[in-house]
Amino acid sequence: EAQVTQNPRYLITVTGKKLTVTCSQNMNHEYMSWYRQDPGLGLRQIYYSMNVEVTDKGDVPEGYKVSRKEKRNFPLILESPSPNQTSLYFCASSFNRLSYEQYFGPGTRLTVT
Amino acid sequence: AQTVTQSQPEMSVQEAETVTLSCTYDTSESDYYLFWYKQPPSRQMILVIRQEAYKQQNATENRFSVNFQKAAKSFSLKISDSQLGDAAMYFCAYRSKTGGGADGLTFGKGTHLIIQP
């Protein structure tokens, strides 16, 4: 089944404790991205990757890192999480940067206390 | 940069009635995609319908249709014969075809649709 998976689905952590949210897709997609969703703000792009070893900042990159060492994986790294990073995070992928359809993962609910 | 505006934070409709969700956007580009996504309580993002800007014909998908007014930069979603399963948050989104900006989707803030039985 074609899908985007994220782990963990739920995470509660404390300020400053490094964490990684994994994202994996099995569709051989070139383009992957991360979004965060906050009430009243919709979804905003954090980082994106057009292919292996090619990443770039989205609209709200501060406090996040990403890497793309393999085509299927695109982890989101929070080196020193803060409470303002409490949010719902979505990973998405598409065939390439111009494909009209993006496939979304199920979301990761992160709470930073 | 592109912006997407959904001016209705919440809408309510009786089951079996028709409801229209509004979306306007701002862009200097001439070719792009527009989308409506549905987010039910499960939080999964589900693509409802898409429209390509160069296509004048409005997209339809079963009970869902759009009214795309390119000159007015308006992209409304009409849901006919509303069903209880349509209750969700709906997001309007824009994506450049030329890969400008951050290359991803630009979302509106969402409209919470309530279906009254």
Side-chain angles (χ1 to χ4, degrees), chain A residues 21-88:
Chain A
V21 184
T22 65
C23 172
S24 183
Q25 50 90 8
N26 62 1
M27 296 168 278
N28 201 37
H29 284 171
E30 291 184 351
Y31 183 92
M32 297 185 73
S33 60
W34 278 101
Y35 295 85
R36 62 177 287 174
Q37 181 182 0
D38 301 291
L41 296 178
L43 285 80
R44 295 174 293 168
Q45 192 181 50
I46 303 170
Y47 266 96
Y48 66 96
S49 168
M50 289 194 283
N51 214 325
V52 176
E53 302 292 0
V54 181
T55 64
D56 208 346
K57 296 176 181 179
D59 296 321
V60 288
E62 295 77 21
Y64 304 95
K65 284 177 57 177
V66 293
S67 69
R68 187 91 181 272
K69 293 183 169 53
E70 304 167 284
K71 198 171 188 179
R72 62 183 294 128
N73 297 324
F74 190 46
L76 179 69
I77 303 157
L78 285 72
E79 298 247 337
S80 183
S82 62
N84 64 12
Q85 292 178 298
T86 292
S87 188
L88 177 60

Side-chain angles (χ1 to χ4, degrees), chain A residues 9-10 31 35 37 40 42-43 45 48 50 88 90 94 97-102 104-106 109, chain B residues 33 35 37 39 42-45 47 50 91 95-99 101-105 107-109:
Chain A
R9 296 288 310 279
Y10 302 89
Y31 183 92
Y35 295 85
Q37 181 182 0
L43 285 80
Q45 192 181 50
Y48 66 96
M50 289 194 283
L88 177 60
F90 286 98
S94 62
R97 61 194 272 266
L98 297 179
S99 299
Y100 65 80
E101 185 165 6
Q102 290 209 24
F104 282 85
R109 169 69 71 186
Chain B
Y33 296 111
F35 306 88
Y37 280 88
Q39 187 180 47
S42 67
R43 302 186 318 217
Q44 182 69 44
M45 294 293 288
L47 178 63
R50 73 174 187 274
F91 292 98
R95 189 173 194 188
S96 169
K97 264 194 180 181
T98 59
D103 267 12
L105 291 161
F107 286 88
K109 295 181 179 181

Side-chain angles (χ1 to χ4, degrees), chain B residues 82-96:
Chain B
S82 298
Q83 301 176 359
L84 294 177
D86 295 333
M89 184 71 80
Y90 286 82
F91 292 98
C92 179
Y94 171 105
R95 189 173 194 188
S96 169

Side-chain angles (χ1 to χ4, degrees), chain B residues 23-65:
Chain B
C23 173
T24 59
Y25 59 95
D26 189 24
T27 183
S28 58
E29 299 176 334
S30 59
D31 202 10
Y32 45 85
Y33 296 111
L34 293 165
F35 306 88
W36 279 98
Y37 280 88
K38 172 184 178 181
Q39 187 180 47
S42 67
R43 302 186 318 217
Q44 182 69 44
M45 294 293 288
I46 301 166
L47 178 63
V48 175
I49 199 165
R50 73 174 187 274
Q51 175 80 41
E52 296 187 64
Y54 75 88
K55 290 186 177 179
Q56 293 188 344
Q57 187 172 5
N58 289 326
T60 62
E61 288 287 342
N62 300 313
R63 297 181 295 106
F64 298 86
S65 62

